[in-house]
Amino acid sequence: MANQYPGPPPEQPPGQPGQNPYATPPAGGPADAGYGYPQGGRPGDPGYGYPQAGSQPPTAPPPGAGFQAGPQTGGMALSLGDIAVSGDTIMTPAGPMPLKGAIWTATDMSRTEEKIPTHAVVLAIVFFLFCLLGLLFLLMKERVTTGFVQVTVNSGGRHHSTMVPVQSREQVMYVLNQVNYARSLSV
């Protein structure tokens, strides 16, 4: 039976071609450059994203420049799609924004259709044959709402917009009420 494990055959001395590439190096030191040692290739060399020797570290912005999120008090006040309001901060994928002075906009982009359901048409045909009252089933209507409500927030020189999917008029009103609550918090 052939050798089942990787490595040099027993009759071959170590260090010769065909040696196990996964074995510990003979000197007991670190392995050669490979996966995990980018750029310079040695364990002491800087890797991805690390500054090179002699380079200046990035300086912090001066105090008061831009929005600095303070400590959060309490939990999340509300969430609209990927926009969350917590404490005095609006958290978005674009970054944190100050809640005070934020401008909120909501646009209803949904549509509501009214149609006669299929079962009403079937019942009207069946009962029309028995009596003329079957035509009353055609008065049945069904309302279907589909679409989105677009919510936009502008604050601290940043802008973020999200689309919240809705399936009923009640959901549209809920999102619009949430935006009104966010407006009241922004004052």
Side-chain angles (χ1 to χ4, degrees):
M1 184 168 176
N3 188 4
Q4 298 178 9
Y5 303 103
E11 64 274 355
Q12 186 176 2
Q16 299 295 321
Q19 184 176 359
N20 182 1
Y22 304 107
T24 306
D32 288 338
Y35 185 79
Y37 299 113
Q39 295 175 357
R42 298 280 177 217
D45 292 343
Y48 292 117
Y50 293 101
Q52 301 299 327
S55 67
Q56 296 292 332
T59 59
F67 173 67
Q68 305 293 327
Q72 301 299 314
T73 57
M76 184 171 52
L78 68 100
S79 175
L80 292 163
D82 55 3
I83 300 173
V85 176
S86 175
D88 63 347
T89 306
I90 302 169
M91 297 301 298
T92 67
M97 300 180 198
L99 179 61
K100 187 162 182 76
I103 299 171
W104 295 84
T105 308
T107 306
D108 183 6
M109 303 175 89
S110 65
R111 66 178 192 179
T112 302
E113 297 176 348
E114 191 173 282
K115 63 179 187 172
I116 300 172
T118 307
H119 64 274
V121 174
V122 172
L123 289 173
I125 293 171
V126 169
F127 281 101
F128 178 73
L129 299 175
F130 295 114
C131 61
L132 295 177
L133 293 177
L135 295 176
L136 292 177
F137 285 109
L138 294 178
L139 296 176
M140 293 174 60
K141 300 289 182 193
E142 175 181 62
R143 289 191 176 138
V144 179
T145 301
T146 56
F148 297 90
V149 175
Q150 181 181 23
V151 178
T152 305
V153 60
N154 293 311
S155 181
R158 294 189 185 195
H159 165 85
H160 184 72
S161 180
T162 187
M163 303 284 270
V164 181
V166 291
Q167 287 84 28
S168 68
R169 295 306 305 166
E170 290 79 16
Q171 288 180 345
V172 171
M173 292 309 299
Y174 176 77
V175 172
L176 295 177
N177 286 335
Q178 289 289 89
V179 170
N180 285 333
Y181 178 63
R183 285 180 185 142
S184 71
L185 293 176
S186 298
V187 174

